[in-house]
Amino acid sequence: MSRLTSRTALITGAASGIGLAVASRFAREGARVVIADRDSGAARTAAESITAESGPGTARAVTVDIADEAAVESAFAELAAADWTPDVVIANAGVQLFGQDAKIAEVDLEVWQRTVDVNLTGTFLTVKHAVRSMLATGGGSIVITGSPTGLSGEGNDFTAYATTKAGLHGLTRTVAAAYAADGIRVNAVIPAYTETPLVTTISDDPEERSAIVSRIPLGRAGTPQDVEGIMVFLASDDSAFATGSLFAVDGGMTAL
Ligand SMILES: NC(=O)c1ccc[n+]([C@@H]2O[C@H](COP(=O)([O-])OP(=O)(O)OC[C@H]3O[C@@H](n4cnc5c(N)ncnc54)[C@H](O)[C@@H]3O)[C@@H](O)[C@H]2O)c1
């Protein structure tokens, strides 16, 4: 368990769900991890529990709202000043506004805007400043968390969310092509329905939950731990020849 020794990884949205599982696993694989989240209390708690598990100096928390460019820029500056410049950035933070995001005729502009601000603009800002930082240090690996809703009409009940995720798949390819020669790789991971605090609206509703699980060939919901392995692969040199690709970890959902 030391595939990420001497790496420093910044993970947005790491105070909860998929990001938290990935951060804990990265620390167990030998990386130093930065828990970057707008929820400062939860980010601190996550960093403390990872430090307790993986040892002193393995995790630190940074409070950042990824939709705020000044905050993103200052997070990277703070890490550089502390000699924690990341060579891996997992652009994972995102929102899905259950009960408000819907089929397009029912979507308020404000709901659209809030979703775009975090998922699309926030990820754009995370990746922009990750690339600037990696250009200065000689390269690195960036992974964006996408979604099956951005691949097909699967997410038609969530117009804003699905559209932002489709945009992120495009961002992955565009940035990968632009910076491959600089040693910066960019890939996306596409989890299917994964039980985290984001989707409690679904997991608390047995009928909706089983309707979704019935569309997953492996016959179960994903867990945050299901996403860890592909993230370790993409963060490590094992994936040295992979860039601009979308990797589904979805129990076969997008194969249908
Ligand atoms: N859970 C799923 O079924 C599923 C499926 C496909 C993709 N995803 C994607 O995975 C990613 C992680 O989702 P999750 O399920 O772990 O959700 P989660 O709600 O458990 O965690 C999301 C984290 O992001 C943080 N966050 C939200 N907005 C932020 C902002 N503006 N700035 C900084 N931090 C912010 C939250 O505080 C939270 O800690 C998201 O991009 C989501 O769209 C989730």
Side-chain angles (χ1 to χ4, degrees):
M1 291 282 271
S2 55
R3 291 165 70 194
L4 300 178
T5 304
S6 81
R7 299 282 153 101
T8 300
L10 177 147
I11 301 149
T12 68
S16 174
I18 292 170
L20 177 56
V22 170
S24 310
R25 174 69 182 273
F26 277 18
R28 294 199 299 280
E29 295 280 359
R32 297 188 303 179
V33 296
V34 180
I35 311 294
D37 205 288
R38 70 176 169 192
D39 183 338
S40 51
R44 228 181 3 258
T45 304
E48 282 165 9
S49 84
I50 289 171
T51 303
E53 182 184 53
S54 291
T58 52
R60 65 191 290 148
V62 170
T63 305
V64 60
D65 177 349
I66 58 164
D68 174 352
E69 181 157 24
V72 174
E73 201 167 4
S74 95
F76 277 94
E78 179 187 324
L79 294 172
D83 206 14
W84 273 63
T85 300
D87 34 37
V88 174
V89 170
I90 311 294
N92 164 77
V95 294
Q96 183 168 5
L97 304 178
F98 284 90
Q100 301 173 74
D101 196 2
K103 290 187 168 53
I104 193 166
E106 313 303 328
V107 181
D108 290 345
L109 177 59
E110 183 266 336
V111 169
W112 169 268
Q113 200 63 62
R114 263 199 292 152
T115 309
V116 168
D117 283 352
V118 176
N119 293 6
L120 201 48
T121 308
T123 305
F124 155 72
L125 292 172
T126 304
V127 173
K128 171 181 169 180
H129 289 282
V131 165
R132 283 191 175 175
S133 167
M134 288 173 183
L135 284 173
T137 56
S141 175
I142 298 171
V143 185
I144 293 173
T145 308
S147 166
T149 62
L151 292 175
S152 70
E154 174 71 28
N156 65 81
D157 283 336
F158 299 97
T159 307
Y161 181 80
T163 307
T164 60
K165 292 297 182 178
L168 294 186
H169 302 161
L171 185 74
T172 301
R173 296 183 173 114
T174 301
V175 182
Y179 293 99
D182 299 292
I184 300 172
R185 298 186 295 109
V186 190
N187 293 287
V189 166
I190 299 184
Y193 170 61
T194 304
E195 289 189 317
T196 70
L198 184 78
V199 295
T200 46
T201 313
I202 298 171
S203 30
D204 290 349
D205 178 340
E207 256 176 52
E208 199 176 349
R209 183 182 186 282
S210 72
I212 289 189
V213 170
S214 73
R215 300 203 299 279
I216 300 177
L218 285 180
R220 65 170 176 87
T223 68
Q225 289 68 35
D226 285 321
V227 188
E228 293 172 16
I230 190 79
M231 291 289 195
V232 172
F233 168 71
L234 291 172
S236 78
D237 291 339
D238 285 354
S239 59
F241 201 50
T243 196
S245 287
L246 312 179
F247 293 82
V249 182
D250 64 353
M253 192 177 193
T254 55
L256 293 180

